[in-house]
Amino acid sequence: MNYTKKILRQSNYWYNDGLRKAQIRDMSGAILSLRKSLQYNRANIDARNLLGLVYYGRGEVAEGLVEWIISKNLKPKDNIANYFIDEVQKSANQLEVINQAVKKYNQCLNYCNQQGEDLAIIQLQKVISRHPTFLKAYQLLALLYLHTEQYAKARQVLRTAKKLDTTNEMTLRYIHELTKQQGKKSKPKSKGDSVEYSLGNETIIQPAHSRMREITSKIAVTNVLAGVLIGAAVVWFLIIPAVEESKSNTTNKQIVEYSTRIHALEAQVSAQTKTLDDYRAAELDKEAAQKNAASTADSYESLMTASEQYSSGSYSEDTVADTLLNVNPNVLGQGGQTLYTEISESVFPIACQSRYNRGVEALNVANYQGAIEAFQKVIKMDEQYEDGGALFNLGTSYMRNGENDNAKTYFNRVIELFPNSENAAAAQSSLNSMDEAKG
């Protein structure tokens, strides 16, 4: 009991820390603290709702909705998350504006990949005017200004980004880069009564009548070559990861829209149609888009079912684990992945042991199909369970069931993952015996 109270106190401590940081717009710090709070107590509704508000406050509407949806499922009644979700759904026009802003942001990322920085800058200016809390749009615009050496504009954009999130690592990194660029000066060459220096591709000569002009010339001159190299490095190391992150965020938004409508039981058919239309617009392969949309919806539905089973305490670990096996965590948003990890880390170890024991029992009584089903579930939860024991037993079950091709697949997997183990030696022996029997 004391241990439980300690866990709850730790969760409340990090919630209060996150609340303090959010009040001073230290959004990145608040997110870290609130995530720690939820690690101690995933059912801390206040922490989860505040995390959703923090995401929403810096323009990440999809991530905010995910947290509120999870909160709503954990506590359906008397939960302010219901109010937040309703308010977002009521603001249909604003949601459409945000959706268009995100699409234009994604288009800007494509422009960057195609060396179209000028087009990207024009588009991003429209994005931030329509979605003024979209932090990532400000960051990308500042990066492009840095790359095109428009330092005054970069400074102005970064100031706004810093107001949205005072400690965001990406913003601070760009500010540091801006300071470095502006701090670089080239030394002028003195020729008698004149001063010669280079600016871009031009050579400028000015009379050296005063110390003030000399100082001014030093400040105006920058090292162009170094600027180009650093700018290129910034683009390669920062824009490309941003592209991947943006694609993930776009998918998360589509998932959230679909999931919200499912759990609200409102217009399921129209929600699916909208999601599929979004995928059709984003993907050339329509058939693949439909499969992705269906997989996303099924995964969220299974995740919410598993969450309800886990929270109720009325279901066994095996039952919850079976539900989780229907979830594809790769299509979940950040909040969904967090919930999936919390539940799976709790139930998978127990379920693995139970399924593994059932598989061994079935294998010993020649119930090979039952053994295959049990070991298949084990390796879906933990492929390396029992240092390859589950993989080896699965291969053995297939071999004794006369499915040698499947057996070879899992025996080779054991050898690949555990090359110097006893299980690998046994797997190699089984492979040799199958080859001899075939010969």
Side-chain angles (χ1 to χ4, degrees):
M1 190 65 177
N2 291 333
Y3 179 77
T4 302
K5 289 181 178 179
K6 184 177 180 181
I7 293 295
L8 294 177
R9 280 199 302 269
Q10 284 293 320
S11 179
N12 291 333
Y13 168 82
W14 286 112
Y15 163 72
N16 291 327
D17 186 66
L19 178 60
R20 286 192 295 269
K21 291 177 178 177
Q23 289 171 340
I24 61 174
R25 295 207 67 87
D26 177 6
M27 299 304 200
S28 294
I31 289 173
L32 291 175
S33 295
L34 292 170
R35 283 179 180 170
K36 287 184 180 179
S37 175
L38 293 174
Q39 286 176 353
Y40 283 103
N41 179 17
R42 59 184 293 275
N44 190 331
I45 300 300
D46 291 335
R48 198 172 290 280
N49 288 339
L50 179 57
L51 180 57
L53 281 174
V54 171
Y55 279 131
Y56 190 89
R58 66 179 196 178
E60 299 175 23
V61 179
E63 286 79 358
L65 279 171
V66 167
E67 296 301 331
W68 293 332
I69 290 169
I70 295 172
S71 175
K72 177 180 178 180
N73 280 274
L74 291 174
K75 185 183 178 184
K77 296 182 179 180
D78 299 326
N79 189 342
I80 197 173
N82 294 320
Y83 170 77
F84 295 148
I85 294 172
D86 290 341
E87 287 300 306
V88 171
Q89 289 178 325
K90 287 177 184 177
S91 306
N93 292 335
Q94 183 61 26
L95 275 179
E96 182 59 25
V97 168
I98 293 174
N99 183 46
Q100 291 300 320
V102 172
K103 288 181 178 179
K104 289 182 179 179
Y105 172 80
N106 294 332
Q107 189 178 29
C108 291
L109 294 171
N110 291 329
Y111 288 154
C112 292
N113 281 335
Q114 299 166 5
Q115 308 299 319
E117 288 88 351
D118 292 340
L119 288 174
I121 288 174
I122 294 172
Q123 194 80 290
L124 285 169
Q125 290 171 343
K126 296 179 181 179
V127 170
I128 62 176
S129 67
R130 297 179 65 84
H131 190 7
T133 62
F134 196 178
L135 177 63
K136 291 179 181 177
Y138 285 102
Q139 291 173 335
L140 181 56
L141 180 57
L143 180 59
L144 290 172
Y145 279 145
L146 283 171
H147 183 54
T148 56
E149 299 183 2
Q150 301 180 61
Y151 299 131
K153 293 182 179 180
R155 186 188 308 108
Q156 183 178 1
V157 171
L158 288 172
R159 284 176 180 170
T160 305
K162 196 169 187 294
K163 290 178 181 178
L164 291 174
D165 188 351
T166 58
T167 63
N168 185 271
E169 182 181 355
M170 190 74 71
T171 301
L172 296 178
R173 187 185 304 173
Y174 291 167
I175 292 174
H176 177 68
E177 180 65 26
L178 175 62
T179 304
K180 284 174 58 180
Q181 291 285 3
Q182 292 182 322
K184 291 180 179 179
K185 305 171 185 178
S186 63
K187 295 182 180 180
K189 300 176 182 178
S190 178
K191 293 187 176 181
D193 294 333
S194 65
V195 175
E196 176 182 324
Y197 60 91
S198 297
L199 182 61
N201 295 322
E202 300 179 358
T203 301
I204 299 175
I205 301 176
Q206 288 185 345
H209 294 304
S210 67
R211 178 64 176 169
M212 180 60 69
R213 289 192 177 184
E214 181 179 354
I215 293 174
T216 303
S217 66
K218 288 183 179 180
I219 294 174
V221 178
T222 60
N223 191 325
V224 176
L225 179 59
V228 170
L229 292 176
I230 292 175
V234 169
V235 170
W236 280 108
F237 286 102
L238 299 181
I239 284 186
I240 291 177
V243 172
E244 298 300 324
E245 183 178 357
S246 171
K247 290 180 180 177
S248 176
N249 289 340
T250 302
T251 303
N252 289 346
K253 183 179 186 301
Q254 295 163 343
I255 293 168
V256 170
E257 290 178 0
Y258 195 81
S259 178
T260 303
R261 292 172 184 256
I262 287 175
H263 293 288
L265 298 177
E266 296 176 354
Q268 293 188 16
V269 174
S270 62
Q272 185 180 31
T273 301
K274 183 181 185 307
T275 304
L276 292 176
D277 288 342
D278 290 342
Y279 273 105
R280 290 188 185 102
E283 301 289 343
L284 296 177
D285 189 345
K286 294 183 179 180
E287 183 178 355
Q290 292 172 354
K291 291 180 180 179
N292 288 338
S295 173
T296 297
D298 292 342
S299 291
Y300 258 97
E301 184 175 356
S302 296
L303 178 61
M304 292 306 141
T305 301
S307 176
E308 293 170 2
Q309 292 174 341
Y310 180 74
S311 300
S312 69
S314 303
Y315 296 84
S316 67
E317 284 79 4
D318 285 353
T319 301
V320 180
D322 285 346
T323 305
L324 278 182
L325 289 179
N326 295 323
V327 176
N328 178 6
N330 294 326
V331 302
L332 300 177
Q334 186 175 7
Q337 289 180 349
T338 299
L339 178 60
Y340 175 85
T341 300
E342 290 175 357
I343 300 175
S344 62
E345 287 180 350
S346 177
V347 303
F348 275 0
I350 299 173
C352 277
Q353 182 177 0
S354 173
R355 298 293 185 186
Y356 184 81
N357 291 340
R358 291 183 194 177
V360 171
E361 292 173 1
L363 183 60
N364 289 337
V365 297
N367 178 11
Y368 303 129
Q369 194 59 45
I372 289 170
E373 293 176 1
F375 291 128
Q376 280 283 14
K377 290 183 177 180
V378 173
I379 66 170
K380 284 182 180 179
M381 292 183 281
D382 183 2
E383 186 183 24
Q384 301 187 24
Y385 191 74
E386 288 292 310
D387 295 330
L391 285 168
F392 173 75
N393 284 331
L394 179 58
T396 301
S397 301
Y398 273 123
M399 181 179 68
R400 295 183 183 177
N401 202 42
E403 301 178 55
N404 287 349
D405 289 340
N406 288 331
K408 290 179 179 179
T409 297
Y410 292 104
F411 286 145
N412 285 323
R413 187 60 174 159
V414 174
I415 296 170
E416 178 184 351
L417 293 177
F418 305 93
N420 299 317
S421 66
E422 294 181 1
N423 285 325
Q428 186 62 58
S429 177
S430 296
L431 288 171
N432 294 338
S433 64
M434 283 192 292
D435 290 340
E436 291 173 1
K438 185 178 179 180

